[in-house]
Amino acid sequence: TGPYKINGVPLRRVNQAYCIGTSTKIDVSGVDVSSINDAYFARVAEKSADGEEGFFANDAAKPAVVSDQRKADQKKVDAAVLKAVEATPLLKNYLGSNFTLGKHDRPHNMVF
């Protein structure tokens, strides 16, 4: 999680290739994630229409629908993470900032 209120990152799995390792640490021992497991992030299988006509009939994109359970879990986890973030000076600003690299930046030499 981002937390969502600070940088808009929802509670979801993220590939490590999209993460930036830092030396910044926060205490998240107070966050209850006992209800979140592999099945929580599994996609729900949709029923598809049979045959070729059903495949081409619904070309319109369906909007993503977030369940009430996921919204409640997001708020519960964010509330605990926000307490830890606010206890660390400048961490809220750090998490809310955009990360960019310039032409001559060397990320392997950067220390965060």
Side-chain angles (χ1 to χ4, degrees):
T1 186
Y4 193 79
K5 182 178 180 181
I6 295 176
N7 58 12
V9 177
L11 184 63
R12 63 178 299 171
R13 280 196 178 148
V14 178
N15 189 326
Q16 289 181 348
Y18 298 107
C19 296
I20 299 170
T22 68
S23 60
T24 305
K25 296 183 181 2
I26 60 171
D27 181 24
V28 292
S29 60
V31 180
D32 179 27
V33 291
S34 60
S35 64
I36 299 171
N37 54 19
D38 289 338
Y40 183 84
F41 296 106
R43 292 182 185 235
V44 179
E46 297 180 14
K47 294 182 181 179
S48 60
D50 293 328
E52 188 174 322
E53 293 177 15
F55 179 76
F56 291 108
N58 297 328
D59 285 343
K62 296 178 184 175
V65 178
V66 180
S67 68
D68 292 335
Q69 177 64 33
R70 283 193 176 245
K71 288 179 185 177
D73 290 342
Q74 179 76 49
K75 287 181 182 179
K76 180 179 76 170
V77 170
D78 280 358
V81 172
L82 274 173
K83 287 180 186 177
V85 167
E86 291 172 356
T88 306
L90 299 176
L91 186 58
K92 186 174 181 179
N93 295 339
Y94 174 71
L95 290 175
S97 63
N98 290 331
F99 178 79
T100 58
L101 289 173
K103 185 175 183 178
H104 298 289
D105 290 337
R106 294 178 173 81
H108 60 281
N109 288 336
M110 294 180 179
V111 177
F112 299 99

